[in-house]
């Protein structure tokens, strides 16, 4: 337990990491997963694993003195956030100078905190973003494999039309329709059948009790219930929690050595370990993987890493916005926390937008329609290593989000015009603001496929070193990204196991 050698290490336990671990385990490779967050399977004193959204406690946030919810205000008042004890909670907000990025921490990574929207990208856009990847192979083989292993399922549309819990989505759909915009149902990894039983009062409520960004106590098939459970089931995979990888170096025999810090849940250091491995897979997410590789390059530990590491980062064009509805058009005091519909205007060449119709489950009527717009913003950021702070800084300016805001505005101006409504200006901080352009949920890139790595995620300059997560995707994918991250990891890991591991 104090260190030692293992054949393969996977850093992180998010989507890309989980795919790598499962397929390595199935191939009979002893694999150790190192995760800086906790395993979320033990109830606290209140009998619940996660704290809710409306009264978050320390379990909600990753080492914060106060929660940092994306919708921090209502009528410009900071009503939502709460003071808490710094703790290894489930949702982190990584604050860079002009962009904040939300990420999940714990066994399952982002799957613990996300909305579960499981969207396969439009094939034409996938081909535009990743032209070197064989799209036929992806759409025939790896997207179906990802969807089935993630247990993606579809809402019963008849129930959707009837239930009070999706009134907010039907109101937004009707208003989009008046502006000539179409909507589409969005598959999810939340068990829709469980949600129907929540609505019927048969099972404990989770999505229908406002749970999502601070974790779902029921209903959601996060990675710990799918890929990671299967990985552990191979008998070859071990997960160590509260283990943060600090640095990577390489020994003369070609093996990698990781410097790892083990802490308790309040951040007290318990041990510093050195773990060595033959094959190393980085699945620490766009921010985590890029930072580890940048540090290795800039400190001289892995000097042959590509100058491309750190480049090609983007927030998937994320912009959040909200509209105020007329008093006679309420969105409902009861709202499921899991989105079910998206406004699909991606084929509009002037301003492609895919906007998820997001709930605002406040437990009371707000007349708000909320959206997370995914736009096609061509701007990219770059990570640079700050030696004094020993961390990666993101070079990204607020005005780089102007194209994303312009696209979202062009769509929602049309919706407002058709319905005689206006934006809400009070939800995104204490000043007048209709578009949240300073945070994102979908960090992508930093170690881009075919640039910092080969076409299968093998890191350029080194053998037996792989990237398997969202950092491979160059900044944009046009829809919520985890299905793409999963499918791409399936494709890459299959090749790596065949060529680099089994043949040796
Ligand atoms: P991911 O971030 O999932 O996992 C990385 C893991 O590595 C984390 O567990 C982290 O703790 C760990 N780690 C990092 N550095 C480490 C280190 N040095 N040592 C050890 N461990 C380390 N997407 C979608 O498709 N549909 C949706 O509905 C949503 N909704 C959504 C809502 C919210 C609130 C958020 C924050 C995000 C979403 N997303 C989403 C985005 C989605 O969750 C995200 O794209 C994926 O989780 C990214 O998967 P990765 O495998 O890249 O890393």
């Amino acid at each position: 337990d104090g260190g030692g050698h293992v054949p393969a290490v996977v850093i992180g336990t998010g989507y890309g990491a989980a795919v790598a671990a499962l397929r390595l385990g199935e191939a009979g490779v002893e694999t150790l997963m190192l995760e800086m967050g906790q395993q979320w399977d033990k109830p606290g004193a209140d009998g619940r694993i996660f704290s809710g959204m409306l009264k978050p406690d320390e379990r909600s946030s990753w080492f914060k003195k106060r929660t940092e919810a994306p919708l921090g205000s209502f009528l410009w008042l900071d009503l939502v956030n709460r003071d808490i004890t710094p703790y290894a909670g489930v949702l982190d907000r990584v604050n860079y100078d002009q962009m904040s990025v939300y990420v999940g921490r714990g066994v399952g990574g982002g799957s613990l905190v996300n909305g579960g929207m499981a969207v396969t990208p439009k094939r034409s856009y996938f081909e535009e973003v990743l032209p070197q990847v064989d799209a036929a192979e992806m759409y025939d083989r790896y997207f179906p494999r990802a969807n089935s292993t993630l247990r993606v399922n579809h809402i019963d549309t008849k129930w959707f039309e009837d239930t009070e819990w999706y009134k907010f989505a039907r109101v937004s759909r009707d208003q989009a329709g008046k502006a000539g915009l179409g909507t589409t149902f969005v598959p999810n990894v939340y068990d829709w059948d469980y949600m129907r039983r929540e609505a019927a009062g048969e099972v404990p409520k989770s999505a229908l009790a406002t749970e999502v960004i601070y974790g779902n106590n029921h209903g959601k098939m996060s990675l710990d219930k799918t890929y990671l459970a299967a990985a552990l089931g191979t008998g070859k995979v071990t997960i160590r929690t509260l283990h943060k990888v600090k640095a990577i170096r390489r020994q003369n025999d070609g093996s990698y050595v990781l410097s790892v810090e083990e802490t308790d849940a309040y951040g007290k250091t318990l041990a510093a370990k050195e773990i060595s491995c033959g094959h190393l897979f980085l699945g620490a997410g766009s921010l985590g993987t890029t930072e580890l590789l940048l540090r290795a390059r800039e400190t001289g530990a892995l000097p042959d890493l590509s100058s491309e590491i750190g480049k090609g980062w983007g927030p998937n064009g994320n912009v959040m916005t909200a509209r105020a509805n007329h008093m006679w058009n309420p969105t409902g005091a009861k709202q499921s926390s899991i989105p079910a519909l998206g406004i699909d205007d991606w084929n509009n060449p002037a301003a492609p937008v895919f906007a998820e119709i997001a709930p605002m489950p406040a437990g009371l009527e707000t007349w708000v329609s909320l959206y997370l717009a995914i736009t096609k913003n061509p701007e990219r950021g770059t990570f640079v290593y700050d030696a004094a702070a020993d961390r990666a800084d993101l070079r990204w300016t607020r005005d780089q989000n102007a194209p994303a805001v312009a696209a979202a505005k062009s769509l929602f101006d049309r919706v407002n015009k058709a319905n005689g409504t206006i934006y809400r200006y009070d939800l995104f901080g204490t000043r007048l603001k209709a578009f949240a352009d300073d945070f994102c949920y979908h960090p992508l890139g930093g170690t881009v496929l075919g640039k910092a790595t080969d076409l299968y995620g093998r890191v350029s300059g080194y053998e037996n070193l792989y990237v398997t997560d969202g950092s491979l995707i160059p900044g944009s994918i046009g829809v919520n990204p985890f299905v793409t991250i999963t499918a791409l990891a399936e494709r890459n890991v299959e090749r790596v196991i065949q060529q680099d591991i089994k043949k040796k």
Side-chain angles (χ1 to χ4, degrees):
D1 212 30
H5 182 84
V6 277
V9 164
V10 177
I11 305 175
T13 55
Y15 292 91
V19 171
L22 171 58
R23 303 308 172 199
L24 286 164
E26 285 176 341
V29 182
E30 292 282 350
T31 302
L32 175 65
M33 302 186 86
L34 299 169
E35 168 57 54
M36 66 195 274
Q38 302 197 68
Q39 172 89 50
W40 291 94
D41 60 357
K42 283 178 270 331
D46 60 357
R48 302 190 308 162
I49 293 170
F50 297 107
S51 74
M53 187 131 100
L54 299 179
K55 284 187 190 150
D57 62 28
E58 64 186 25
R59 289 171 289 181
S60 68
S61 307
W62 182 256
F63 293 102
K64 304 278 180 194
K65 291 196 174 108
R66 191 169 171 77
T67 61
E68 296 179 15
L71 291 178
S73 63
F74 188 76
L75 299 174
W76 296 284
L77 298 172
D78 182 359
L79 296 176
V80 182
N81 287 309
R82 296 248 180 317
D83 289 336
I84 50 172
T85 305
Y87 180 74
V90 73
L91 181 68
D92 196 2
R93 173 170 165 139
V94 182
N95 296 313
Y96 298 105
D97 185 25
Q98 300 196 31
M99 171 59 80
S100 294
V101 183
Y102 284 96
V103 293
R105 300 273 181 231
V107 174
S111 77
L112 297 167
V113 298
N114 68 31
M117 298 177 76
V119 195
T120 300
K122 289 204 167 51
R123 181 163 169 166
S124 56
Y125 192 56
F126 179 87
E127 288 173 351
E128 190 180 321
V129 172
L130 290 167
Q132 328 90 312
V133 174
D134 181 345
E137 211 178 60
M138 288 296 293
Y139 282 78
D140 292 347
R141 196 161 171 190
Y142 302 109
F143 277 119
R145 184 179 296 175
N147 275 288
S148 76
T149 318
L150 290 166
R151 293 171 55 192
V152 173
N153 69 142
H154 299 260
I155 194 168
D156 176 336
T157 53
K158 185 173 174 320
W159 181 72
F160 171 87
E161 297 300 341
D162 293 339
T163 179
E164 59 188 335
W165 298 97
Y166 281 107
K167 181 180 171 68
F168 75 94
R170 296 193 300 270
V171 166
S172 273
R173 178 182 61 186
D174 294 348
Q175 294 172 331
K178 281 196 187 141
L181 294 158
T183 55
T184 174
F185 283 103
V186 176
N188 208 290
V189 294
Y190 198 92
D191 181 344
W192 295 110
D193 190 49
Y194 186 88
M195 198 191 295
R196 282 174 49 171
R197 287 188 284 136
E198 289 178 51
E202 295 166 10
V203 291
K205 287 190 172 60
S206 182
L208 305 191
T210 79
E211 292 179 354
V212 61
I213 60 168
Y214 299 137
N216 280 96
N217 282 302
H218 311 278
K220 199 208 270 178
M221 293 170 286
S222 44
L223 289 167
D224 47 328
K225 304 194 172 62
T226 58
Y227 269 97
L228 293 169
L232 294 174
T234 66
K236 295 284 179 186
V237 176
T238 311
I239 303 175
R240 293 240 190 288
T241 57
L242 294 167
H243 276 60
K244 180 171 184 176
V245 178
K246 310 279 274 189
I248 305 168
R249 63 177 203 273
R250 192 168 170 272
Q251 306 192 105
N252 289 337
D253 65 0
S255 62
Y256 292 93
V257 180
L258 308 177
S259 306
V260 182
E261 182 185 54
E262 183 184 5
T263 63
D264 70 12
Y266 289 94
K268 188 177 149 223
T269 303
L270 299 179
K273 303 182 182 180
E274 302 250 284
I275 297 171
S276 70
C277 62
H279 291 88
L280 177 57
F281 293 80
L282 284 91
S286 166
L287 310 185
T289 289
T290 307
E291 180 171 83
L292 282 167
L293 290 175
L294 260 186
R295 179 181 292 132
R297 189 185 70 199
E298 296 301 305
T299 58
L302 298 177
D304 297 335
L305 288 173
S306 160
S307 60
E308 286 288 335
I309 286 167
K311 295 185 182 162
W313 184 86
N316 201 23
N318 281 188
V319 179
M320 211 174 237
T321 189
R323 297 174 35 260
N325 291 303
H326 296 295
M327 296 295 275
W328 63 82
N329 205 4
T331 48
K334 292 186 168 178
Q335 302 194 6
S336 169
S337 64
I338 297 295
L341 280 183
I343 299 174
D344 187 355
D345 198 29
W346 195 260
N347 290 332
N348 171 0
V353 178
F354 179 79
E356 106 192 18
I357 298 176
M360 187 151 140
L364 52 114
E365 180 57 53
T366 62
W367 289 274
V368 170
S369 286
L370 184 69
Y371 307 90
L372 176 67
I374 296 170
T375 66
K376 189 176 170 182
N377 183 354
E379 291 287 330
R380 292 293 173 264
T382 304
F383 287 99
V384 291
Y385 180 63
D386 173 350
D390 187 29
R391 72 169 227 159
D393 265 337
L394 180 60
R395 295 271 157 86
W396 170 274
T397 56
R398 183 76 58 83
D399 54 334
Q400 286 183 277
N401 242 344
V405 171
K409 186 171 183 311
S410 94
L411 187 145
F412 289 107
D413 280 358
R414 282 153 66 198
V415 177
N416 278 331
K417 189 155 179 257
N419 292 279
T421 51
I422 58 167
Y423 291 101
R424 288 283 295 234
Y425 293 91
D426 59 323
L427 299 175
F428 307 114
T430 48
R431 278 175 295 164
L432 272 178
K433 201 168 164 61
F435 297 94
D437 59 354
D438 55 353
F439 71 79
C440 73
Y441 287 167
H442 299 165
L444 294 172
T447 317
V448 170
L449 189 82
K451 293 197 164 161
T453 74
D454 79 350
L455 292 180
Y456 292 88
R458 297 177 177 103
V459 177
S460 305
Y462 291 89
E463 282 196 341
N464 304 331
L465 182 63
Y466 312 93
V467 170
T468 186
D469 56 25
S471 52
L472 293 172
I473 298 172
S476 164
I477 196 63
V479 291
N480 316 60
F482 74 62
V483 171
T484 308
I485 294 170
T486 305
L488 194 62
E490 287 280 17
R491 164 193 180 268
N492 296 346
V493 166
E494 184 177 271
R495 170 69 63 110
V496 163
I497 289 174
Q498 274 165 11
Q499 294 192 340
D500 301 11
I501 296 181
K502 284 204 174 148
K503 291 224 172 106
K504 280 191 178 170

